[in-house]
């Protein structure tokens, strides 16, 4: 069971909007009534803001949350300017071009990249900390490849008439800042309330809008407005919430549970199936026993040690462009109903064939036009906060990028009284789970993995199949506790082979000669100036693919280390090697060192790092304590220090945001803070 963070808990009870800048939690919800209107027939559409009805629709959406021309003057000026351009061109007889025509989706990147990634992230059941109250939470994210000045997202789970099921919620982001290019949003409702509403609905949709403002190559601000609707499996959603709908073909039986009212008739509520409805994911998972304080799937690049969940090791002479992230995906999803078709990313049908021997197989059918109630076909994505966009799974050896995941899904029908359940199963090994964009082979703090499965599902016998979306993956913002599907963290850090490590007796030994259980001289993070013997608990061994950092001190000492290896400064604080500059002072054995030279050096040999701990006879052990050691007399952090300082949260002030934002946005931003 997932636990909702306290920040969301507080937001659920708030009544006013709070604009967001650098901190990735959500705006407070506004309790507004959704109009009773039919769902529009397009699920992933870009507004044409020179169209008066589209323009008015955007303004109405903003006004619903209290955002008006008075408190968001620059945003409204940009929106109004679209109509001004239309009127100007109409007078001259020329067809106007919307500013939004310069779309970020037309970027020239590797074909596996999704340039602008606007994605529903599925639904979860969550419990507020300190309570027993369960919530249904839906989420979505938007990630651009280019920096943005402004992003507005709103999200609601609705029925077929557009009536809200979850509380409508919006979030604003001014500039990218530390949030960078990915923005996420959640919308929630108590489970008891959700069950009653969904029971009375015919179909369930997640409805998200995003408005983005960025600058084009000429420095002009471009405004884009997009909508995405997907249909979630209604019966499966109810089952995950703990309610199995009665079977209308059965009358009340002694073995059934208490009655439940459906429409004008009364039927018995069915017992839950013996197999769990929903997802059961074996990989990727947080499988190693590490020191991280919250669940994380640690992917180590060209390294392997105790905290690594998955290592990605290439020979040292492998060209950078040939190194791809490799992650296994193994698991299943059980859906209420009979899945008749799985859709590839290009919307080619994979139709389920029931063979005479009772087995099932998939047969390639026709390519259809993308349906209105879906967003994407079946595919797996890895999406990083730092990089923007997303990268699709490629398969091995990087061929059939589009269809690899969809073609690997296996289908099994499971009888359940007079109905059918469908188990969708996939087994993609680590060597097959290749993501074909070499830029993913780098350090990323918070990488989402997202499995999107589009199916045509027959909810009940004899009913018409409907296209429904299944989403499995990590949360978009990392604000959950007790994650079933935690996000990934991609890391690397080590010292060059031959680095001389100081021992307690004053002698030195090359790092590659040391073993687990040996003792070295070092210090605790809490007392970096006090020397103490430390035991080697684990050793990371790998190769380095990118240029390393070579530090030279005034005392003539040199050290070759990876760019993210921590170096202890004069103040006793760990700083990445790549951030050390000439004239910096660092801690060394016997005093301080003065940096006289910092170089980038190509390196093609083994690299090592040590995980240290207090010896058995040292009574001062502390939980999550990290340590440092001396390599070529330079005081550097161990593996735990690296993990603890791999990524740091940067909290921005209002002044930081104002400096970053164009002046035209200042009033909008300051009003959002009130």
């Amino acid at each position: 069971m997932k636990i909702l963070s306290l920040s969301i808990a507080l937001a659920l009870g708030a009544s006013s909007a709070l604009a967001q800048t650098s901190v990735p939690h959500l705006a407070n919800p506004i309790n507004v009534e959704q109009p009773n209107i039919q769902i529009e027939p397009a699920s992933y559409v870009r507004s044409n803001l020179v169209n008066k009805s589209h323009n008015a629709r955007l303004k109405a959406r903003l006004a619903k949350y209290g955002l008006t021309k008075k408190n968001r003057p620059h945003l409204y000026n940009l929106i109004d300017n679209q109509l001004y351009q239309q009127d100007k061109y109409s007078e001259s007889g020329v067809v106007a071009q919307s500013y939004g025509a310069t779309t970020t989706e037309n970027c020239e990147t590797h074909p596996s990249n999704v340039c602008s990634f606007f994605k529903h992230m599925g639904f979860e059941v969550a419990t507020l900390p300190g309570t027993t109250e369960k919530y249904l939470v839906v989420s979505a994210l938007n990630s651009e490849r280019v920096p943005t000045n402004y992003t507005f997202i709103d999200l609601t789970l609705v029925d077929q008439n557009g009536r809200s099921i979850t509380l409508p919620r919006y979030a604003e982001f001014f500039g990218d800042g530390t949030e960078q290019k990915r923005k996420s949003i959640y919308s929630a409702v108590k489970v008891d309330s959700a069950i009653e509403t969904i029971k009375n609905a015919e179909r369930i949709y997640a409805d998200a809008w995003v408005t983005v403002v960025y600058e084009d190559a000429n420095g002009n601000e471009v405004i884009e407005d997009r909508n995405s609707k997907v249909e979630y499996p209604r019966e499966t959603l109810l089952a995950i919430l703990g309610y199995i709908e009665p079977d209308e073909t059965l009358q009340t039986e002694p073995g059934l549970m208490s009655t439940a009212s459906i429409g004008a008739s009364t039927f018995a509520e069915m017992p839950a199936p013996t197999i769990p409805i929903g997802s059961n994911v074996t990989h990727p998972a947080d499988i190693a026993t590490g020191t991280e304080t919250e669940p994380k799937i640690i992917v180590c690049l060209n390294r392997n040690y105790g905290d690594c969940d998955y290592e990605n090791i290439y020979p040292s002479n492998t060209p950078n462009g040939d190194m791809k992230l490799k992650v296994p995906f193994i698991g299943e999803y059980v859906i209420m109903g009979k899945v008749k078709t799985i859709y590839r990313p290009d919307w080619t049908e994979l139709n389920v064939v029931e063979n005479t021997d009772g087995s099932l197989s998939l047969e390639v059918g026709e390519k259809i036009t993308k349906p209105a109630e879906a967003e994407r076909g079946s595919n797996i994505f890895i999406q990083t906060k730092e990089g923007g966009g997303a990268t699709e799974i490629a398969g091995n050896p990087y061929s059939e990028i589009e269809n690899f995941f969809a073609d690997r899904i296996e289908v099994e029908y499971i009888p359940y009284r007079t109905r059918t359940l469908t188990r969708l199963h996939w087994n993609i090994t680590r060597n097959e789970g290749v993501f074909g964009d070499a830029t993913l082979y780098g350090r990323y703090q918070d990488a989402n993995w997202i499995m999107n499965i589009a199916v045509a599902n027959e909810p009940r016998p004899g009913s018409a199949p409907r296209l429904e979306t299944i989403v499995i993956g990590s949360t978009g913002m990392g604000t959950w506790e007790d994650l079933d599907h935690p996000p990934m963290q991609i890391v690397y850090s080590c010292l060059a082979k031959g680095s001389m490590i100081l021992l307690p007796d004053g002698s030195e030994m090359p790092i590659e000669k040391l073993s687990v259980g040996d003792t070295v001289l070092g210090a605790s993070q809490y007392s970096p100036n006090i020397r103490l013997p430390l035991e080697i608990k684990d050793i990371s061994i790998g190769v380095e693919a990118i240029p390393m950092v070579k530090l030279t001190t005034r005392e003539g000492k040199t050290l070759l280390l990876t760019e993210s290896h921590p170096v202890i400064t004069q103040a006793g604080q760990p700083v990445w090697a790549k951030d050390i500059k000439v004239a910096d002072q660092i801690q060394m054995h016997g005093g301080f060192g003065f940096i006289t030279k910092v170089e980038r050096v190509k390196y093609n040999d083994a690299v090592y790092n040590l995980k240290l701990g207090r010896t058995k006879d040292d009574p001062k052990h502390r939980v999550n304590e990290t340590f440092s050691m001396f390599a070529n007399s330079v005081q550097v952090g161990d593996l735990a220090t690296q993990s603890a300082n791999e990524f740091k949260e940067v909290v921005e002030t209002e002044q930081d945001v104002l400096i970053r934002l164009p002046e035209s946005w200042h009033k909008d931003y300051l009003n959002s803070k009130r």
Side-chain angles (χ1 to χ4, degrees):
M1 185 66 66
K2 295 177 172 57
I3 306 299
L4 205 60
S5 72
L6 182 59
S7 63
I8 297 180
L10 294 173
L12 287 172
S15 60
S16 61
L18 175 63
Q20 301 305 310
T21 55
S22 62
V23 182
H25 57 266
L26 297 180
N28 294 330
I30 301 294
N31 191 3
V32 295
E33 288 297 322
Q34 291 287 91
N36 184 6
I37 57 174
Q38 294 293 324
I39 293 292
E40 296 182 10
S43 70
Y44 189 70
V45 296
R46 186 184 305 279
S47 298
N48 178 9
L49 295 179
V50 303
N51 179 289
K52 290 185 178 180
S53 63
H54 287 197
N55 197 287
R57 181 179 61 189
L58 171 55
K59 291 179 181 177
R61 217 173 81 243
L62 296 170
K64 180 176 71 175
Y65 298 106
L67 309 185
T68 66
K69 189 175 183 64
K70 183 177 180 180
N71 55 37
R72 300 295 184 273
H74 185 62
L75 176 60
Y76 270 77
N77 285 340
L78 288 173
I79 298 170
D80 288 338
N81 199 41
Q82 306 294 301
L83 293 179
Y84 168 75
Q85 294 294 327
Q86 171 67 36
D87 293 341
K88 183 175 72 172
Y89 283 111
S90 296
E91 291 174 2
S92 62
V94 178
V95 178
Q97 298 294 322
S98 170
Y99 285 173
T102 311
T103 170
T104 58
E105 293 180 0
N106 294 329
C107 59
E108 296 178 1
T109 57
H110 187 281
S112 67
N113 284 340
V114 179
C115 185
S116 179
F117 192 65
F118 183 27
K119 181 76 179 69
H120 288 278
M121 299 292 285
F123 53 83
E124 306 285 352
V125 177
T127 303
L128 290 178
T131 76
T132 58
E133 294 180 338
K134 295 181 180 180
Y135 285 82
L136 167 65
V137 184
V138 293
S139 59
L141 67 81
N142 182 70
S143 183
E144 303 286 343
R145 284 287 187 186
V146 297
T148 60
N149 288 338
Y150 177 80
T151 301
F152 174 93
I153 316 177
D154 66 341
L155 172 67
T156 318
L157 192 70
V158 299
D159 66 10
Q160 72 281 358
N161 294 317
R163 287 186 291 254
S164 298
I165 297 172
T166 59
L167 191 63
R169 180 183 288 266
Y170 81 96
E172 289 181 292
F173 304 86
F174 289 84
D176 290 321
T178 56
E179 174 64 22
Q180 302 191 17
K181 301 179 182 67
R182 182 171 76 200
K183 285 85 176 174
S184 301
I185 187 170
Y186 291 86
S187 178
V189 65
K190 289 184 179 180
V191 165
D192 290 345
S193 176
I195 289 176
E196 291 304 314
T197 307
I198 295 172
K199 280 165 57 177
N200 295 322
E202 295 178 12
R203 309 180 82 154
I204 303 299
Y205 300 86
D207 187 9
W209 287 84
V210 63
T211 305
V212 176
V213 179
Y214 63 95
E215 294 182 6
D216 64 16
N218 298 318
N220 298 317
E221 284 194 306
V222 176
I223 181 169
E224 293 184 355
D225 186 53
R226 287 167 284 165
N227 175 229
S228 175
K229 294 187 184 76
V230 298
E231 181 170 2
Y232 288 145
R234 173 184 173 277
E235 284 76 10
T236 301
L237 176 53
L238 280 171
I240 290 175
L241 293 177
Y243 177 81
I244 303 294
E245 283 196 307
D247 193 324
E248 299 179 23
T249 64
L250 297 177
Q251 298 298 322
T252 302
E253 298 178 9
L256 298 181
M257 299 172 65
S258 59
T259 59
S261 178
I262 302 292
S265 302
T266 298
F267 303 94
E269 184 180 330
M270 296 177 67
T274 56
I275 62 171
I277 305 297
S279 65
N280 179 17
V281 176
T282 306
H283 295 281
D286 184 13
I287 55 181
T289 303
T291 59
E292 64 267 18
T293 57
E294 60 183 30
K296 279 282 170 59
I297 299 172
I298 305 297
V299 181
C300 300
L301 306 185
N302 284 332
R303 312 284 186 274
N304 191 7
Y305 61 98
D307 288 1
C308 292
D309 296 306
Y310 306 100
E311 85 282 353
N312 280 229
I313 298 178
Y314 283 88
S316 59
N317 59 352
T318 305
N320 290 359
D322 291 346
M323 289 185 288
K324 319 290 184 181
L325 195 68
K326 297 180 179 180
V327 182
F329 284 85
I330 301 172
E332 65 180 27
Y333 195 99
V334 177
I335 183 173
M336 296 284 292
K338 196 171 188 177
V339 170
K340 309 290 280 187
T341 304
I342 297 171
Y343 293 96
R344 288 173 169 174
D346 65 354
W347 295 103
T348 297
E349 297 174 325
L350 295 173
N351 296 313
V352 180
V353 177
E354 300 184 53
N355 302 311
T356 55
D357 62 358
S359 65
L360 302 178
S361 58
L362 293 177
E363 182 179 273
V364 178
E366 304 205 354
K367 182 178 179 179
I368 66 171
T369 302
K370 188 183 82 64
E373 62 274 23
E375 158 188 69
R376 301 180 189 274
S378 302
N379 215 338
I380 304 177
F381 305 90
I382 289 183
Q383 195 284 322
T384 67
K385 180 171 65 176
E386 295 87 347
T391 300
E392 301 158 336
I393 195 170
N396 187 26
Y398 323 129
S399 61
E400 296 185 355
I401 292 175
E402 282 287 309
N403 303 324
F404 180 75
F405 172 55
D407 290 351
R408 293 294 294 271
I409 298 176
E410 299 177 358
V411 181
E412 177 188 0
Y413 289 155
I414 303 170
Y416 171 53
R417 290 188 171 266
T418 62
R419 300 188 196 171
T420 300
L421 308 180
T422 301
R423 176 187 279 123
L424 304 174
H425 179 266
W426 51 92
N427 186 353
I428 298 173
T429 66
R430 185 175 61 84
N431 286 332
E432 294 173 317
V434 179
F435 289 80
D437 179 6
T439 62
L440 270 184
Y441 204 86
R443 183 184 302 102
Y444 293 104
Q445 176 180 6
D446 184 10
N448 286 328
W449 55 277
I450 307 155
M451 307 180 71
N452 191 88
I453 307 176
V455 301
N457 182 41
E458 181 185 276
R460 294 172 178 267
S463 62
R466 59 179 61 165
L467 196 143
E468 297 173 334
T469 298
I470 299 166
V471 184
I472 312 158
S474 56
T475 59
M477 291 169 42
T479 54
W480 303 91
E481 301 171 9
D482 294 336
L483 283 171
D484 289 336
H485 305 317
M488 294 177 184
Q489 194 168 91
I490 307 171
V491 301
Y492 56 89
S493 175
C494 276
L495 301 167
K497 179 181 178 180
S499 299
M500 301 300 291
I501 305 301
L502 187 63
L503 306 182
D505 63 4
S507 63
E508 294 180 317
M509 184 177 289
I511 192 168
E512 66 272 16
K513 300 292 186 181
L514 295 169
S515 302
V516 172
D518 289 347
T519 303
V520 303
L521 189 69
S524 166
Q525 70 183 90
Y526 303 111
S527 304
N529 296 315
I530 299 176
R531 311 294 181 246
L532 69 157
L534 297 168
E535 183 180 333
I536 299 175
K537 305 294 186 180
D538 197 2
I539 300 177
S540 166
I541 305 173
V543 295
E544 184 53 44
I546 65 174
M548 297 176 70
V549 176
K550 183 179 180 181
L551 302 177
T552 302
T553 71
R554 183 171 54 190
E555 296 75 22
K557 298 291 185 179
T558 62
L559 181 63
L560 192 60
L561 66 175
T562 53
E563 64 175 24
S564 63
H565 197 102
V567 177
I568 309 303
T569 65
Q570 181 184 17
Q573 298 300 313
V575 174
W576 281 357
K578 73 179 183 66
D579 295 328
I580 296 292
K581 301 179 179 61
V582 172
D584 284 350
Q585 285 189 283
I586 61 173
Q587 296 268 17
M588 299 186 68
H589 181 57
F592 299 122
F594 188 85
I595 297 295
T596 57
K597 195 173 186 179
V598 180
E599 305 170 81
R600 286 281 187 168
V601 178
K602 180 63 178 174
Y603 183 76
N604 290 310
D605 208 338
V607 289
Y608 300 79
N609 202 356
L610 309 178
K611 184 176 181 180
L612 304 174
R614 292 181 180 269
T615 58
K616 296 177 182 178
D617 56 354
D618 189 334
K620 297 182 179 179
H621 173 75
R622 301 189 192 184
V623 177
N624 295 327
E625 186 178 18
T626 63
F627 301 93
S628 56
M629 55 189 163
F630 296 93
N632 295 355
S633 295
V634 176
Q635 192 169 0
V636 296
D638 72 339
L639 274 170
T641 305
Q642 166 65 33
S643 298
N645 294 276
E646 185 83 43
F647 305 100
K648 295 182 178 179
E649 294 296 332
V650 179
V651 179
E652 290 187 316
T653 66
E654 285 189 12
Q655 190 62 30
D656 292 330
V657 179
L658 291 172
I659 291 172
R660 186 179 69 246
L661 275 175
E663 188 174 353
S664 55
W665 283 102
H666 285 192
K667 187 172 182 180
D668 295 53
Y669 167 67
L670 291 173
N671 285 340
S672 75
K673 303 297 291 182
R674 295 171 182 166

